[in-house]
Amino acid sequence: MSTVYSYISAISRLALGTVAVAVVEPRAQRALPSFGVIFNDDADLAYVVPDRAKSEALLRENVAGLANTSVKTLVFCLGMGGDLMLYDTKVASQVGWRKSPDEQPGSLMEKRMENARVCIGQGADAVRTAGEEAKKLGLFYIPSLRMNDSHFMARPDEHAMTGAFWFKHRHEYTIKDSPLPFQKAYANLLDFSHAEVRKHRLDTAFEAIERNQDLIDGFELDFNRFQVFFPKGKATENASRITEMVRQVRARLDQLAKTQRRPMYLFVRTPPSLADSTFAGLEVATWMKEGLVDVVSPAQIMTLAGDMPIKDLLALGKIHGVKVYPSLYPRTSWRLSFPEANAADRYRNAKVTREATLDEIRGTAAAYFAMQADGFYLFNFYNAFGSRRPFDRSLYQVLRDLARPENLNGQPKVYFVTKSYYGDGPGSYAYGKQLPAALKAGAPLKLTLPVAESPATSAFPLKQCELRLGLRGLTADSNLTVTLNGEAIHTGALSADHSWRTREILGTAPKQRDVAEVYSHHPLSRPTLVRTGDNAIVITVSGSAKGVELTDCEIRYAYHNDLEKLWLREVTPLN
């Protein structure tokens, strides 16, 4: 059984001159509350105008948009990145601490920095303002510190988000040897093997906890922004140093819980699997076993994924009483989104986009619900559907969908194989992606697609069950064989009635390298071919197959859920 170590009791014993023995409380005796949907606001809209009173009023309206929704927890970033704080900090740098070359006249960065300088100069503290409004709404309030944010790394001398600590210690305390060969600029991030770097981050966290102790319900250490902390080959030998940091934050929160007479929770955002965390030098399993953390949120860097390998993480959470909340994003990789069926012009007005559809978000949520995830952590949704407040109805639909698994019944969903983003893959900061993938003539390509759908148990009749493949490089004499869980669903050339070419849809060839040139649709007349759980999809190409690539693999479900039409006995054929 996992244990929670009481920092306060141990320190008290030391003060009394007795043997320091940690008081152990079984985690199972500390039942965690429901945190609802966890909503992260990265504080981009902290200071909208260069006037404290007006900016505070707008920030309160921003937070108030979450009232009466499934959101029970607001996570609010302390600043821009991990080095520039939104208040008059004494240990880090404040937003706008210097006039940077990035602040070109009339640019968004110039406006952001000037707004912050003026508001902070007038005494504003966006972290407290957001917290005050969150408490009015009855939300848990968790400030968040990005542990090694990378926004500045490619141009540190020019970038507005580079902090004073970095400039002072750039030659001593930076990584220098990037652990990821595809991006050398990671060498400019701070190296956590140095005690001074760890102290700087802890001092920042402790200052924020102290400033907001009357408002907060805990704290978050965001190890997802960014997942690089040590030089190449040094993560394993230094991982215990970060674990000690987590212990110290846990101890500080335990101390605060005692003085404030209420629980304090420690959240962590991590890479998308235990293996990825180990690669980065993060001993997440140890944190869970020792009872150091209350919520773990495995996360991609920027894109929505329904196939993060988190079953082992979820199992650890059940054993040790730690909640696991997969992070969801409103962004995918580039593609034409999967349209509804039964329309000859189904791709009319389609465009290449990275905006996740409600169907894709639902499919992702359903997949994690099926894995017994404890809930969802929304990242970058604060501005996903526009910046008007109250939020766009699409966000409120998402919040309704995520409140409980039953809310997904009868709604369209898209399950998709996650595509690679920004070099993630084996030997990187994220698990290996299956797509894009080369198709060699005669060589079967096997994909695994998790699906959490059971149409036979639905109250609503199924009206669409369709597989879509995105391909590049096919020639006129290319033939395709597609099997789903061992049964052939297509053999031969692409069907003219069920394939759409991106150039014809857009009027030009797609610019993005991972966008399909052609989308091949395969209606499934036997939906029972799709299993609840992992599905094996095998694609083989023959003929002129040089340079053929599979870019997308998705299954879409839609239901006949209009009750009046059902009442009138209207029939909707499948596909």
Side-chain angles (χ1 to χ4, degrees):
M1 179 178 290
S2 177
T3 55
V4 179
Y5 296 90
S6 173
Y7 172 86
I8 301 306
S9 296
I11 294 300
S12 298
R13 289 169 181 259
L14 281 171
L16 293 172
T18 58
V19 178
V21 178
V23 174
V24 179
E25 176 191 353
R27 164 70 70 172
Q29 293 180 10
R30 292 185 60 213
L32 295 173
S34 169
F35 294 108
V37 172
I38 299 174
F39 190 91
N40 180 294
D41 190 319
D42 78 353
D44 274 359
L45 301 176
Y47 300 124
V48 175
V49 293
D51 179 276
R52 174 184 176 180
K54 292 179 180 178
S55 273
E56 287 179 343
L58 291 170
L59 179 55
R60 292 183 190 280
E61 291 294 340
N62 184 19
V63 176
L66 301 173
N68 303 316
T69 69
S70 59
V71 173
K72 291 186 178 180
T73 306
L74 174 64
V75 175
F76 196 82
C77 290
L78 295 179
M80 291 179 66
D83 297 291
L84 275 59
M85 303 299 108
L86 290 163
Y87 44 85
D88 183 20
T89 174
K90 306 304 180 186
V91 299
S93 301
Q94 73 176 44
V95 179
W97 73 279
R98 68 178 183 124
K99 183 75 172 179
S100 69
D102 245 3
E103 298 176 58
Q104 296 297 314
S107 67
L108 175 61
M109 188 63 77
E110 182 192 47
K111 293 181 174 67
R112 288 186 67 180
M113 291 298 171
E114 185 59 25
N115 289 351
R117 287 188 191 104
V118 171
C119 290
I120 296 173
Q122 293 174 352
D125 181 345
V127 179
R128 282 200 64 81
T129 301
E132 290 166 355
E133 191 64 28
K135 301 317 290 182
K136 287 181 183 178
L137 300 180
L139 304 180
F140 291 107
Y141 184 56
I142 308 289
S144 176
L145 174 62
R146 294 185 177 185
M147 299 302 285
N148 219 14
D149 192 87
S150 65
H151 279 86
F152 74 96
M153 68 181 185
R155 298 166 36 254
D157 291 289
E158 293 81 21
H159 206 286
M161 291 172 65
T162 311
F165 183 87
W166 188 92
F167 277 109
K168 183 177 180 180
H169 300 291
R170 62 190 303 177
H171 300 299
E172 308 162 82
Y173 300 150
T174 52
I175 286 173
K176 298 181 178 65
D177 187 8
S178 171
L180 303 176
F182 69 87
Q183 177 51 273
K184 300 297 184 183
Y186 292 132
N188 285 327
L189 296 185
L190 292 174
D191 178 358
F192 278 63
S193 64
H194 296 286
E196 293 80 0
V197 171
R198 301 193 301 276
K199 181 180 184 302
H200 178 63
R201 284 290 186 261
L202 285 173
D203 286 347
T204 303
F206 294 158
E207 179 189 51
I209 291 171
E210 176 69 22
R211 289 175 64 98
N212 300 284
Q213 59 182 293
D214 56 320
L215 293 173
I216 65 173
D217 297 288
F219 199 76
E220 177 180 85
L221 303 175
D222 188 347
F223 292 102
N224 186 261
R225 291 303 177 95
F226 200 79
Q227 303 172 7
V228 177
F229 303 94
F230 302 108
K232 181 179 179 181
K234 300 296 184 180
T236 300
E237 65 188 76
N238 284 291
S240 62
R241 300 181 188 277
I242 290 186
T243 295
E244 184 55 34
M245 293 179 69
V246 177
R247 290 192 184 110
Q248 290 185 56
V249 176
R250 174 75 269 166
R252 185 63 62 94
L253 290 176
D254 286 347
Q255 183 180 16
L256 182 62
K258 192 170 184 179
T259 60
Q260 292 291 319
R261 299 179 180 275
R262 66 178 188 278
M264 291 287 161
Y265 306 105
L266 182 55
F267 290 20
V268 289
R269 291 187 76 237
T270 69
S273 74
L274 281 175
D276 299 325
S277 291
T278 299
F279 177 86
L282 305 175
E283 298 175 322
V284 176
T286 298
W287 307 347
M288 298 172 79
K289 290 174 184 176
E290 290 190 14
L292 302 177
V293 298
D294 299 293
V295 174
V296 175
S297 181
Q300 290 267 92
I301 292 296
M302 278 301 296
T303 53
L304 184 69
D307 54 5
M308 290 189 294
I310 61 171
K311 290 181 181 178
D312 52 356
L313 191 62
L314 288 163
L316 276 179
K318 303 303 181 190
I319 293 170
H320 301 298
V322 177
K323 294 198 178 238
V324 178
Y325 272 62
S327 283
L328 304 185
Y329 289 87
R331 177 185 286 186
T332 67
S333 294
W334 295 106
R335 82 281 182 259
L336 299 183
S337 57
F338 199 152
E340 295 183 20
N342 300 321
D345 60 348
R346 64 190 303 181
Y347 279 97
R348 183 165 59 94
N349 298 325
K351 62 180 181 178
V352 176
T353 179
R354 294 182 61 190
E355 296 174 6
T357 66
L358 295 180
D359 299 352
E360 291 166 333
I361 295 170
R362 290 188 195 109
T364 299
Y368 291 129
F369 269 135
M371 294 184 199
Q372 302 298 308
D374 294 294
F376 297 102
Y377 186 122
L378 298 188
F379 194 89
N380 272 357
F381 275 82
Y382 75 98
N383 226 21
F385 304 105
S387 55
R388 290 188 177 90
R389 296 297 182 270
F391 292 95
D392 183 88
R393 66 182 63 183
S394 294
L395 179 62
Y396 292 121
Q397 179 68 52
V398 169
L399 297 179
R400 187 264 178 193
D401 290 342
L402 300 183
R404 60 185 193 131
E406 294 81 2
N407 288 2
L408 299 173
N409 292 345
Q411 297 205 66
K413 304 178 197 71
V414 171
Y415 298 91
F416 60 95
V417 175
T418 306
K419 295 164 68 170
S420 179
Y421 171 78
Y422 195 56
D424 59 3
S428 175
Y429 48 75
Y431 64 102
K433 302 302 187 293
Q434 300 177 79
L435 295 176
L439 283 170
K440 298 179 181 179
L445 172 67
K446 181 179 178 179
L447 303 174
T448 300
L449 175 59
V451 173
E453 205 75 15
S454 182
T457 63
S458 174
F460 301 104
L462 187 66
K463 71 176 183 180
Q464 182 186 6
C465 183
E466 188 175 30
L467 172 71
R468 183 178 82 156
L469 302 175
L471 297 133
R472 295 178 66 93
L474 282 181
T475 59
D477 64 342
S478 297
N479 290 315
L480 209 63
T481 299
V482 183
T483 67
L484 172 59
N485 294 323
E487 295 202 32
I489 59 172
H490 177 87
T491 302
L494 297 188
S495 166
D497 293 334
H498 294 287
S499 59
W500 282 262
R501 298 194 175 275
T502 308
R503 178 186 287 272
E504 295 173 4
I505 296 168
L506 302 177
T508 184
K511 297 178 181 178
Q512 295 81 5
R513 179 65 186 83
D514 59 342
V515 174
E517 293 174 341
V518 60
Y519 288 99
S520 177
H521 290 253
H522 304 273
L524 302 175
S525 58
R526 291 172 52 209
T528 53
L529 283 178
V530 185
R531 299 169 181 163
T532 300
D534 289 345
N535 290 267
I537 300 166
V538 181
I539 300 100
T540 309
V541 67
S542 59
S544 298
K546 185 177 181 181
V548 178
E549 188 176 50
L550 185 72
T551 60
D552 302 86
C553 180
E554 310 153 278
I555 292 179
R556 187 178 194 276
Y557 287 87
Y559 293 86
H560 188 21
N561 57 4
D562 187 320
L563 297 184
E564 185 172 338
K565 290 183 178 180
L566 291 172
W567 178 42
L568 295 172
R569 312 293 196 274
E570 290 189 17
V571 178
T572 302
L574 179 64
N575 298 321

